[in-house]
Amino acid sequence: MNDRSLPGLAAGYFADLGRSSVRGWNRFWFTPTDPATYCLIRILAGWMLFYTHLVWSIGLEDFFGDNAWLSVDVANSGIEATYNRTFFELIHSPTLLWCVHIFALVCMFCLTIGLFSRPAAFLTAFFTVQYANRVPGANFGLDQINTLLALYLCVGACGACYSMDRLIARWRDKAPAEVPPSVGANIGIRLIQLHMCVVYLFAGIGKTGVTWWNGDAMWLSVASYEYQSLDMTWLAHWPITLALMTHVSIWWEMTYCVLVWPRITRPIMVALAVPLHLGIAVFLGMITFGYIMIVGNVAFVSPWLVRRIVDRKRKPSVPEVAKRERPARRKPRQAVAAGK
Amino acid sequence: MSQQSTDNVTPEAPAWLTPKIKILISVGLGFHLLAVFLPPFALVPSPMTGPVKDATDWYTGPLRIQNGYRFFSPDPPFVSMVMRYEIDLPNGETLEGVFPNRETYWPRLYYHRHLMLTSRLQSLGFSSIEFGLGNKKPIINDGSPGSTWVVQRIENGEYEDADQIPDEDYQIDPQDIPEYMRGEPLDRVDTRTYVDSYARHLMHKHDAQRVRLYLLEHAVPSRLLMIEEDVELDAPESYRESLLIDLSREEL
């Protein structure tokens, strides 16, 4: 860049910014990755999707039948979104309702164990949305995270590993010994990561009430009789502890979308998710919600760490992998300019 | 714990991922990210965000990603809502109970589903809390401006307990209360449709002659009250009951 005038510098800056952004975008979205993390999320989220819908079985007709808690009119009333229709409003026979329900459970179970993974993923996402649309008044955070995970498991080959599909393919000798890196798995993981950032960002900045800033919010949470599952009211004598928990929660949520990306702060942010969501699970009785939020955070765990834990496999040495996969190093600019 | 850069290798992109395909996927991803971001961002719509959010409803609605993610916001609830029912059965008996009941609704997720049904009234903005305390001294911080104010005065050291505060200091001018903090009337349309639906469900389920539903607003005690009086969380005085609906079979 020889033009040293101010417009020339600005033009050079923006050209460089554009090129870097495109390079960064491509690297972020289109770098093939080991699908280990993605497939682990399939198992963890698949199990919760299966369990969530299995629990509907207890009150299936109470929630999805003709005379349900929420009539179809209420479920579709103006206070709900216009496009949230569901096929359940067409089902009037209890027998048919149970048949559909059992089929949905089979799909979710197949997704969990990785049998016919791709169709199971699409069907699970479809059913998850349909169930949620029928009972908007009974939904909560669990259903929101369930839905987003089910949707993003449709993006890539979620049954590429840790699945019955892979076992069967290996048994038929039709699968390579090592699972190839996948662009689809990378896009799926990236979407989960970004969506989790949006969730935490708005969960954090939405907490504008006084109690989140005077330290009382955690007290209100643990002292709510309807929510609590363990008596934590002894914390009333520990105001500083309560305030600290409150402040850490809100600052963690608000900064998550920034600090979870740098390699140096990521382990701290993801590690903090565990006690925070375990607290919700154990003390507020929302085990399912706490669990699924932790599953969402798994998207930030590197595939090699997943391999190391699940497969008990050591991280491959760089030179060994590089021999097979590393592209040729770019020459330094000076060398290029000198024609070396 | 970085995603894929840890191994310092960059596996080659597959052959099908041509520049044109990348552009196509990128446009789709950009739109999707916008659609994910807009619903919580435009929860209180501005002239700019509102129309854009509305324009993406066709996409976010069917995928059910149009969420606000405002968990326990702006504050955790000061008051929980459950319901008490009285159901007149055909044999002349009256079935009474509370839902959800922590002891009988199992597993916890099933309990929580019912808790969401009753809490729905809260998220619709419904509250029967009467703002302005008059001569009634609050024993609990039920979230109403008056009781919050009393607890703050005690915590600030102005008074040792609520009994020391003169009656006239309890007076609060309703005009001082922001409109968004005032209670909603019982006959609000949104609330009414939900309550009506719950009553009709119970009517059908029990083949009942009459169903009466009462709202039980259950206040969370303040930390100070817990320290001073060691109150029980389910103490009877922490509940406030109001009739929501009285539905007879003829009205079905």
Side-chain angles (χ1 to χ4, degrees):
Chain A
M1 196 167 59
N2 296 323
D3 187 354
R4 306 298 294 177
S5 66
L6 200 58
L9 285 173
Y13 165 75
F14 283 111
D16 201 28
L17 180 67
R19 279 192 299 272
S20 311
S21 302
V22 170
R23 263 202 311 273
W25 176 273
N26 280 334
R27 194 172 57 241
F28 185 83
W29 290 106
F30 301 118
T31 306
T33 188
D34 179 351
T37 303
Y38 192 58
C39 295
L40 179 64
I41 290 176
R42 188 206 76 237
I43 297 172
L44 299 174
W47 159 245
M48 183 45 63
L49 284 157
F50 176 74
Y51 176 74
T52 302
H53 291 81
L54 184 66
V55 170
W56 280 130
S57 311
I58 302 169
L60 190 67
E61 290 176 50
D62 287 341
F63 282 91
F64 299 92
D66 264 349
N67 297 303
W69 281 108
L70 290 166
S71 67
V72 171
D73 288 342
V74 172
N76 293 332
S77 64
I79 47 177
E80 304 300 339
T82 318
Y83 297 94
N84 290 4
R85 301 308 289 257
T86 167
F87 67 70
F88 280 109
E89 58 192 81
L90 304 173
I91 298 178
H92 303 292
S93 149
T95 311
L96 182 59
L97 179 64
W98 274 101
C99 289
V100 170
H101 182 61
I102 290 167
F103 179 66
L105 286 175
V106 169
C107 292
M108 289 165 192
F109 185 72
C110 284
L111 177 72
T112 310
I113 63 171
L115 184 63
F116 309 119
S117 307
R118 292 310 291 272
F122 280 98
L123 285 167
T124 296
F126 172 73
F127 280 120
T128 303
V129 170
Q130 294 297 307
Y131 275 79
N133 281 351
R134 179 63 187 90
V135 284
N139 288 337
F140 62 108
L142 165 70
D143 304 282
Q144 298 175 5
I145 310 301
N146 264 351
T147 305
L148 76 88
L149 291 174
L151 289 173
Y152 295 143
L153 284 172
C154 299
V155 175
C158 62
C161 55
Y162 310 140
S163 65
M164 293 298 293
D165 287 342
R166 171 140 179 95
L167 278 180
I168 292 168
R170 291 281 290 158
W171 178 61
R172 289 179 177 167
D173 215 15
K174 286 182 178 173
E178 293 215 1
V179 180
S182 153
V183 173
N186 182 54
I187 294 176
I189 283 287
R190 293 304 195 190
L191 286 168
I192 297 173
Q193 290 174 335
L194 286 168
H195 210 133
M196 291 304 290
C197 285
V198 170
V199 170
Y200 285 127
L201 173 66
F202 287 100
I205 62 176
K207 292 180 171 61
T208 53
V210 172
T211 59
W212 285 106
W213 300 97
N214 72 7
D216 264 356
M218 207 53 75
W219 167 255
L220 285 174
S221 305
V222 299
S224 172
Y225 179 74
E226 278 68 32
Y227 277 95
Q228 70 155 213
S229 46
L230 274 182
D231 185 4
M232 300 291 288
T233 49
W234 52 269
L235 277 170
H237 298 276
W238 297 78
I240 296 176
T241 307
L242 282 168
L244 179 71
M245 289 159 68
T246 305
H247 298 324
V248 168
S249 301
I250 193 165
W251 280 105
W252 177 80
E253 281 189 337
M254 285 198 302
T255 56
Y256 183 92
C257 64
V258 175
L259 296 181
V260 79
W261 297 106
R263 209 178 293 179
I264 194 78
T265 47
R266 180 179 288 192
I268 297 169
M269 298 308 281
V270 175
L272 275 174
V274 176
L276 190 129
H277 292 303
L278 272 184
I280 292 173
V282 176
F283 304 131
L284 299 187
M286 291 194 281
I287 299 163
T288 47
F289 179 59
Y291 170 90
I292 205 69
M293 292 301 279
I294 292 174
V295 173
N297 277 277
V298 171
F300 285 99
V301 177
S302 172
W304 73 259
L305 189 57
V306 172
R307 292 270 182 210
R308 186 158 183 180
I309 295 167
V310 180
D311 301 3
R312 298 179 187 282
K313 187 173 169 180
R314 287 176 63 83
K315 181 184 173 186
S317 63
V318 172
E320 197 178 302
V321 179
K323 276 180 205 165
R324 287 182 279 120
E325 293 180 320
R326 181 184 279 177
R329 271 183 183 279
R330 281 174 52 191
K331 290 181 182 177
R333 276 189 184 173
Q334 296 87 334
V336 174
K340 291 177 185 173
Chain B
M1 285 203 272
S2 74
Q3 176 50 35
Q4 61 276 91
S5 55
T6 319
D7 292 343
N8 287 328
V9 291
T10 312
E12 280 181 33
W16 60 265
L17 200 59
T18 61
K20 278 184 184 170
I21 300 283
K22 276 188 186 177
I23 290 170
L24 209 64
I25 295 174
S26 296
V27 170
L29 287 170
F31 174 76
H32 177 80
L33 293 179
L34 182 74
V36 165
F37 188 80
L38 271 172
F41 183 59
L43 203 64
V44 182
S46 76
M48 189 188 88
T49 59
V52 184
K53 184 208 155 276
D54 291 346
T56 58
D57 277 353
W58 64 269
Y59 178 76
T60 56
L63 294 183
R64 210 168 175 85
I65 50 173
Q66 77 292 44
N67 307 303
Y69 308 117
R70 302 291 207 275
F71 309 125
F72 276 13
S73 300
D75 283 302
F78 292 95
V79 177
S80 301
M81 289 185 175
V82 293
M83 285 184 191
R84 190 170 73 78
Y85 56 81
E86 290 173 358
I87 302 170
D88 294 345
L89 300 173
N91 60 10
E93 290 180 11
T94 299
L95 190 66
E96 290 185 57
V98 172
F99 80 89
N101 185 330
R102 285 185 5 158
E103 312 303 324
T104 54
Y105 283 64
W106 187 90
R108 183 74 181 193
L109 177 56
Y110 189 61
Y111 164 83
H112 216 80
R113 293 294 185 199
H114 290 83
L115 183 61
M116 288 301 104
L117 289 178
T118 53
S119 302
R120 186 67 175 171
L121 303 186
Q122 208 161 16
S123 61
L124 290 172
F126 173 81
S127 171
S128 73
I129 292 171
E130 296 162 8
F131 293 113
L133 296 166
N135 293 321
K136 189 181 170 190
K137 294 181 181 180
I139 60 153
I140 46 178
N141 180 2
D142 63 4
S144 62
S147 60
T148 306
W149 169 81
V150 168
V151 169
Q152 279 173 357
R153 295 194 83 165
I154 296 169
E155 289 186 339
N156 290 342
E158 288 180 58
Y159 299 100
E160 281 187 15
D161 57 50
D163 289 336
Q164 289 187 352
I165 304 178
D167 281 349
E168 56 270 24
D169 276 10
Y170 278 106
Q171 300 299 333
I172 187 166
D173 186 350
Q175 296 302 317
D176 292 342
I177 303 165
E179 195 168 342
Y180 72 91
M181 290 183 78
R182 292 177 195 162
E184 294 289 342
L186 279 165
D187 58 352
R188 187 179 142 151
V189 176
D190 292 348
T191 311
R192 189 80 203 174
T193 54
Y194 269 80
V195 172
D196 194 63
S197 184
Y198 299 166
R200 284 170 189 272
H201 165 72
L202 291 171
M203 179 81 79
H204 282 290
K205 182 168 182 172
H206 297 280
D207 194 23
Q209 299 300 310
R210 197 175 195 92
V211 170
R212 287 173 297 281
L213 277 180
Y214 300 85
L215 179 70
L216 294 178
E217 288 171 287
H218 186 195
V220 179
S222 73
R223 195 177 56 76
L224 197 73
L225 187 72
M226 182 60 73
I227 293 170
E228 286 184 350
E229 298 187 20
D230 196 22
V231 292
E232 294 291 326
L233 291 183
D234 59 345
E237 61 268 26
S238 61
Y239 288 90
R240 187 191 321 244
E241 183 174 297
S242 47
L243 178 67
L244 282 173
I245 191 169
D246 184 351
L247 185 73
S248 66
R249 188 148 200 95
E250 293 75 43
E251 294 173 77
L252 269 186

